[in-house]
Amino acid sequence: MRIVLLGPPGAGKGTQAKKIATRYNIPHISTGDLFRENLKNKTPLGQKAKAYMDAGKLVPDELVIALVEDRITKDDCRSGYLLDGFPRTVAQASALATFNEKLGKPLNYALNIDVPESLLIERIVGRRVCPKCGASYHIEFNPPKVDGQCDIDGADLVQRADDSEETVKTRLNVYNSESAPLVDYYHFKGVLVNVDGNQKPDEVTSAVFNILDGGAK
Ligand code: AP5
Ligand code: MG
Protein backbone atom coordinates (compact mmCIF):
# COMPACT_ATOMS: atom_id res chain seq x y z
CA MET A 1 0.00 0.00 0.00
CA ARG A 2 1.41 3.40 -1.01
CA ILE A 3 0.00 6.27 1.02
CA VAL A 4 0.65 9.98 1.40
CA LEU A 5 -0.52 11.78 4.54
CA LEU A 6 -1.72 15.33 4.06
CA GLY A 7 -2.65 17.88 6.69
CA PRO A 8 -1.43 21.12 8.23
CA PRO A 9 1.31 21.30 10.86
CA GLY A 10 -0.07 19.81 14.08
CA ALA A 11 -2.86 17.88 12.35
CA GLY A 12 -1.55 14.63 13.82
CA LYS A 13 0.30 13.21 10.81
CA GLY A 14 3.22 11.87 12.85
CA THR A 15 0.94 10.55 15.60
CA GLN A 16 -1.19 8.57 13.13
CA ALA A 17 1.68 7.58 10.85
CA LYS A 18 3.35 5.48 13.55
CA LYS A 19 0.16 3.45 14.06
CA ILE A 20 -0.55 3.03 10.34
CA ALA A 21 3.01 1.91 9.61
CA THR A 22 2.89 -0.73 12.36
CA ARG A 23 -0.51 -2.12 11.38
CA TYR A 24 0.16 -2.35 7.65
CA ASN A 25 3.84 -3.16 7.99
CA ILE A 26 5.10 -0.38 5.74
CA PRO A 27 7.92 2.09 6.44
CA HIS A 28 6.96 5.49 7.87
CA ILE A 29 8.92 8.09 5.93
CA SER A 30 8.71 11.57 7.44
CA THR A 31 10.65 14.19 5.48
CA GLY A 32 10.68 16.42 8.59
CA ASP A 33 12.24 13.57 10.64
CA LEU A 34 14.78 12.88 7.85
CA PHE A 35 15.82 16.54 7.82
CA ARG A 36 16.05 16.66 11.63
CA GLU A 37 18.22 13.54 11.58
CA ASN A 38 20.49 15.16 8.98
CA LEU A 39 20.66 18.32 11.11
CA LYS A 40 21.61 16.31 14.19
CA ASN A 41 24.33 14.50 12.24
CA LYS A 42 25.52 17.78 10.68
CA THR A 43 25.38 16.40 7.13
CA PRO A 44 25.59 18.76 4.11
CA LEU A 45 21.86 18.19 3.51
CA GLY A 46 21.11 19.10 7.14
CA GLN A 47 23.17 22.31 6.85
CA LYS A 48 21.28 23.28 3.70
CA ALA A 49 17.87 22.62 5.26
CA LYS A 50 18.52 24.31 8.63
CA ALA A 51 17.77 27.95 7.76
CA TYR A 52 14.51 27.03 6.01
CA MET A 53 13.31 24.83 8.87
CA ASP A 54 14.23 27.35 11.58
CA ALA A 55 12.23 29.99 9.72
CA GLY A 56 9.24 27.64 9.19
CA LYS A 57 9.70 27.78 5.42
CA LEU A 58 9.83 24.90 2.95
CA VAL A 59 13.13 23.33 2.01
CA PRO A 60 13.59 23.76 -1.80
CA ASP A 61 11.74 21.17 -3.90
CA GLU A 62 14.81 19.73 -5.62
CA LEU A 63 16.43 18.75 -2.30
CA VAL A 64 13.27 17.11 -0.95
CA ILE A 65 12.39 15.31 -4.17
CA ALA A 66 15.87 13.77 -4.47
CA LEU A 67 15.72 12.67 -0.82
CA VAL A 68 12.34 10.98 -1.20
CA GLU A 69 13.08 9.31 -4.54
CA ASP A 70 16.21 7.84 -3.04
CA ARG A 71 14.32 6.62 0.03
CA ILE A 72 11.34 5.01 -1.73
CA THR A 73 13.57 2.96 -4.01
CA LYS A 74 15.05 1.16 -0.99
CA ASP A 75 14.17 -2.52 -0.55
CA ASP A 76 11.85 -2.00 2.41
CA CYS A 77 9.49 0.06 0.21
CA ARG A 78 8.85 -2.76 -2.25
CA SER A 79 5.40 -3.49 -0.84
CA GLY A 80 4.58 0.10 -0.01
CA TYR A 81 5.30 3.13 2.14
CA LEU A 82 3.68 5.89 4.11
CA LEU A 83 4.89 9.38 3.28
CA ASP A 84 4.39 11.90 6.12
CA GLY A 85 5.00 15.55 5.18
CA PHE A 86 5.65 14.86 1.50
CA PRO A 87 4.51 16.08 -0.97
CA ARG A 88 4.04 19.63 0.24
CA THR A 89 3.92 21.47 -3.08
CA VAL A 90 2.28 20.67 -6.39
CA ALA A 91 5.77 20.39 -7.93
CA GLN A 92 6.65 17.68 -5.37
CA ALA A 93 3.37 15.85 -6.06
CA SER A 94 3.99 15.92 -9.83
CA ALA A 95 7.53 14.63 -9.37
CA LEU A 96 6.23 11.77 -7.22
CA ALA A 97 3.54 10.94 -9.80
CA THR A 98 6.08 10.84 -12.63
CA PHE A 99 8.45 8.71 -10.56
CA ASN A 100 5.69 6.27 -9.57
CA GLU A 101 4.44 6.04 -13.15
CA LYS A 102 7.93 5.05 -14.26
CA LEU A 103 7.96 2.29 -11.64
CA GLY A 104 4.37 1.28 -12.43
CA LYS A 105 3.48 1.77 -8.76
CA PRO A 106 0.80 4.43 -8.31
CA LEU A 107 -0.39 5.84 -5.00
CA ASN A 108 -3.34 4.08 -3.38
CA TYR A 109 -4.43 6.79 -0.94
CA ALA A 110 -3.91 10.43 -0.09
CA LEU A 111 -5.21 10.66 3.48
CA ASN A 112 -6.02 14.21 4.46
CA ILE A 113 -6.24 14.83 8.22
CA ASP A 114 -8.62 17.72 8.57
CA VAL A 115 -8.34 19.92 11.70
CA PRO A 116 -9.67 23.47 12.22
CA GLU A 117 -6.84 25.98 12.13
CA SER A 118 -7.81 27.40 15.55
CA LEU A 119 -6.69 24.14 17.25
CA LEU A 120 -3.33 23.78 15.56
CA ILE A 121 -1.24 26.35 17.43
CA GLU A 122 -2.18 24.89 20.83
CA ARG A 123 -1.33 21.38 19.63
CA ILE A 124 2.07 22.40 18.30
CA VAL A 125 3.19 24.70 21.07
CA GLY A 126 2.30 21.99 23.63
CA ARG A 127 4.18 19.23 21.83
CA ARG A 128 7.21 17.69 23.54
CA VAL A 129 9.46 15.09 21.93
CA CYS A 130 12.02 12.60 23.18
CA PRO A 131 15.46 13.43 21.76
CA LYS A 132 16.52 9.80 22.24
CA CYS A 133 13.73 7.69 20.71
CA GLY A 134 11.59 10.30 18.90
CA ALA A 135 8.39 9.58 20.89
CA SER A 136 6.01 12.53 20.83
CA TYR A 137 3.75 13.86 23.61
CA HIS A 138 1.51 16.79 24.36
CA ILE A 139 1.60 18.52 27.74
CA GLU A 140 -2.20 18.42 27.96
CA PHE A 141 -3.64 16.06 25.31
CA ASN A 142 -1.09 13.25 25.59
CA PRO A 143 1.08 13.86 28.66
CA PRO A 144 3.91 11.53 29.68
CA LYS A 145 3.44 9.51 32.91
CA VAL A 146 6.18 11.52 34.66
CA ASP A 147 6.20 15.23 33.88
CA GLY A 148 8.92 16.10 31.32
CA GLN A 149 10.22 12.53 30.93
CA CYS A 150 9.83 10.00 28.12
CA ASP A 151 7.69 6.98 29.09
CA ILE A 152 9.88 4.70 26.99
CA ASP A 153 13.44 5.58 28.05
CA GLY A 154 13.14 8.27 30.75
CA ALA A 155 15.04 10.89 28.69
CA ASP A 156 14.21 14.57 29.32
CA LEU A 157 11.64 15.73 26.76
CA VAL A 158 12.42 18.76 24.58
CA GLN A 159 10.50 21.17 22.39
CA ARG A 160 11.18 21.12 18.63
CA ALA A 161 13.17 24.18 17.52
CA ASP A 162 10.42 25.23 15.11
CA ASP A 163 7.55 24.81 17.60
CA SER A 164 7.54 28.40 18.90
CA GLU A 165 4.27 30.27 18.45
CA GLU A 166 5.90 32.71 16.04
CA THR A 167 7.38 30.07 13.72
CA VAL A 168 4.14 28.09 13.82
CA LYS A 169 2.29 31.04 12.31
CA THR A 170 4.72 31.10 9.38
CA ARG A 171 4.34 27.32 8.96
CA LEU A 172 0.54 27.67 8.84
CA ASN A 173 0.76 30.44 6.23
CA VAL A 174 3.14 28.32 4.15
CA TYR A 175 0.76 25.38 4.47
CA ASN A 176 -2.20 27.46 3.26
CA SER A 177 -0.41 28.87 0.25
CA GLU A 178 1.81 25.94 -0.83
CA SER A 179 0.34 22.69 0.51
CA ALA A 180 -3.44 23.14 0.84
CA PRO A 181 -3.85 22.98 -3.00
CA LEU A 182 -2.76 19.33 -2.80
CA VAL A 183 -6.15 18.40 -1.39
CA ASP A 184 -7.77 19.36 -4.70
CA TYR A 185 -4.87 17.87 -6.64
CA TYR A 186 -5.42 14.41 -5.12
CA HIS A 187 -9.20 14.73 -5.21
CA PHE A 188 -8.87 15.20 -8.96
CA LYS A 189 -6.63 12.12 -9.14
CA GLY A 190 -9.32 10.10 -7.35
CA VAL A 191 -7.23 8.97 -4.37
CA LEU A 192 -8.18 11.56 -1.75
CA VAL A 193 -9.82 10.51 1.50
CA ASN A 194 -10.65 13.03 4.23
CA VAL A 195 -10.41 12.08 7.89
CA ASP A 196 -11.81 14.19 10.73
CA GLY A 197 -8.73 14.97 12.83
CA ASN A 198 -10.71 16.84 15.46
CA GLN A 199 -11.33 13.74 17.57
CA LYS A 200 -9.28 11.89 20.18
CA PRO A 201 -6.11 10.38 18.66
CA ASP A 202 -7.48 6.81 19.03
CA GLU A 203 -10.70 7.79 17.30
CA VAL A 204 -8.75 9.27 14.40
CA THR A 205 -6.78 6.02 14.20
CA SER A 206 -9.98 3.92 14.05
CA ALA A 207 -11.36 6.11 11.25
CA VAL A 208 -8.10 5.73 9.31
CA PHE A 209 -7.99 1.94 9.77
CA ASN A 210 -11.60 1.71 8.64
CA ILE A 211 -10.67 3.48 5.40
CA LEU A 212 -7.49 1.50 4.77
CA ASP A 213 -9.20 -1.79 5.56
CA GLY A 214 -11.51 -1.00 2.67
CA GLY A 215 -14.48 0.21 4.71
CA ALA A 216 -14.65 3.57 2.98
CA LYS A 217 -13.05 5.43 0.15
P1 AP5 B 1 7.40 18.38 9.64
O1 AP5 B 1 8.23 17.73 10.65
O2 AP5 B 1 6.72 17.55 8.62
O3 AP5 B 1 6.36 19.33 10.39
P2 AP5 B 1 4.85 19.74 10.09
O4 AP5 B 1 4.22 19.39 8.79
O5 AP5 B 1 4.84 21.19 10.43
O6 AP5 B 1 4.00 18.86 10.97
P3 AP5 B 1 4.19 18.54 12.47
O7 AP5 B 1 5.20 17.47 12.66
O8 AP5 B 1 4.38 19.82 13.25
O9 AP5 B 1 2.73 18.04 12.82
P4 AP5 B 1 2.07 16.59 12.71
O10 AP5 B 1 0.90 16.68 11.78
O11 AP5 B 1 3.06 15.52 12.47
O12 AP5 B 1 1.45 16.47 14.18
P5 AP5 B 1 1.82 15.53 15.41
O13 AP5 B 1 1.31 14.15 15.17
O14 AP5 B 1 3.23 15.67 15.85
O15 AP5 B 1 8.30 19.46 8.84
C1 AP5 B 1 9.16 20.34 9.53
C2 AP5 B 1 9.91 21.22 8.53
O16 AP5 B 1 10.71 20.40 7.64
C3 AP5 B 1 9.03 22.05 7.57
O17 AP5 B 1 8.59 23.27 8.16
C4 AP5 B 1 9.99 22.26 6.40
O18 AP5 B 1 10.93 23.28 6.69
C5 AP5 B 1 10.73 20.93 6.33
N1 AP5 B 1 10.06 19.98 5.42
C6 AP5 B 1 9.55 18.75 5.74
N2 AP5 B 1 8.98 18.15 4.69
C7 AP5 B 1 9.16 19.01 3.63
C8 AP5 B 1 8.77 18.98 2.26
N3 AP5 B 1 8.10 17.93 1.73
N4 AP5 B 1 9.10 20.04 1.47
C9 AP5 B 1 9.79 21.10 1.96
N5 AP5 B 1 10.15 21.20 3.27
C10 AP5 B 1 9.86 20.16 4.09
O19 AP5 B 1 0.86 16.19 16.53
C11 AP5 B 1 1.09 17.51 17.00
C12 AP5 B 1 0.75 17.59 18.50
O20 AP5 B 1 -0.66 17.41 18.67
C13 AP5 B 1 1.44 16.53 19.35
O21 AP5 B 1 1.78 17.09 20.59
C14 AP5 B 1 0.37 15.45 19.53
O22 AP5 B 1 0.51 14.75 20.75
C15 AP5 B 1 -0.92 16.27 19.49
N6 AP5 B 1 -2.02 15.54 18.85
C16 AP5 B 1 -1.96 14.69 17.77
N7 AP5 B 1 -3.19 14.24 17.46
C17 AP5 B 1 -4.06 14.82 18.35
C18 AP5 B 1 -5.47 14.74 18.54
N8 AP5 B 1 -6.24 13.96 17.74
N9 AP5 B 1 -6.01 15.46 19.55
C19 AP5 B 1 -5.25 16.24 20.37
N10 AP5 B 1 -3.90 16.35 20.24
C20 AP5 B 1 -3.31 15.65 19.23
MG1 MG C 1 5.15 15.47 12.16
Side-chain angles (χ1 to χ4, degrees):
M1 195 149 40
R2 286 171 295 280
I3 308 170
V4 300
L5 263 185
L6 306 176
K13 299 183 297 295
T15 303
Q16 298 304 325
K18 289 190 177 71
K19 306 213 172 137
I20 298 169
T22 304
R23 180 174 169 108
Y24 298 98
N25 200 22
I26 48 177
H28 166 204
I29 302 169
S30 155
T31 41
D33 287 350
L34 290 174
F35 284 130
R36 281 184 286 278
E37 208 176 290
N38 275 275
L39 262 177
K40 199 162 119 189
N41 297 329
K42 299 195 164 56
T43 67
L45 179 64
Q47 316 277 11
K48 281 185 199 154
K50 184 177 179 350
Y52 298 99
M53 296 179 75
D54 285 349
K57 304 221 166 109
L58 293 183
V59 176
D61 284 338
E62 60 273 18
L63 292 180
V64 194
I65 291 167
L67 178 74
V68 171
E69 288 186 352
D70 177 64
R71 181 63 189 86
I72 64 177
T73 33
K74 297 259 188 302
D75 267 2
D76 64 339
C77 292
R78 255 183 313 191
S79 62
Y81 50 74
L82 174 64
L83 291 176
D84 160 9
F86 181 95
R88 253 184 162 93
T89 63
V90 171
Q92 292 178 16
S94 305
L96 179 65
T98 306
F99 195 70
N100 281 344
E101 238 162 68
K102 226 166 37 191
L103 302 177
K105 292 183 163 182
L107 281 183
N108 302 103
Y109 293 97
L111 274 179
N112 178 41
I113 307 184
D114 204 8
V115 178
E117 189 162 318
S118 56
L119 300 179
L120 298 171
I121 293 184
E122 191 185 13
R123 282 196 188 183
I124 296 178
V125 173
R127 172 169 50 197
R128 298 293 180 273
V129 291
C130 174
K132 210 163 152 190
C133 72
S136 174
Y137 301 87
H138 189 282
I139 50 175
E140 191 182 332
F141 307 134
N142 178 25
K145 293 194 181 92
V146 178
D147 196 26
Q149 281 181 18
C150 180
D151 291 351
I152 298 161
D153 52 35
D156 286 341
L157 300 178
V158 296
Q159 197 169 20
R160 245 170 66 177
D162 59 347
D163 276 354
S164 68
E165 196 162 338
E166 201 188 314
T167 311
V168 168
K169 285 183 183 150
T170 309
R171 283 161 60 199
L172 287 173
N173 287 337
V174 169
Y175 170 79
N176 286 326
S177 60
E178 303 285 331
S179 311
L182 293 175
V183 174
D184 279 348
Y185 175 96
Y186 282 115
H187 176 66
F188 186 70
K189 297 259 176 195
V191 291
L192 182 79
V193 188
N194 286 302
V195 180
D196 177 8
N198 185 14
Q199 318 176 61
K200 296 208 173 86
D202 284 350
E203 292 169 347
V204 180
T205 308
S206 299
V208 169
F209 287 175
N210 184 38
I211 291 162
L212 299 181
D213 286 345
K217 185 163 182 195

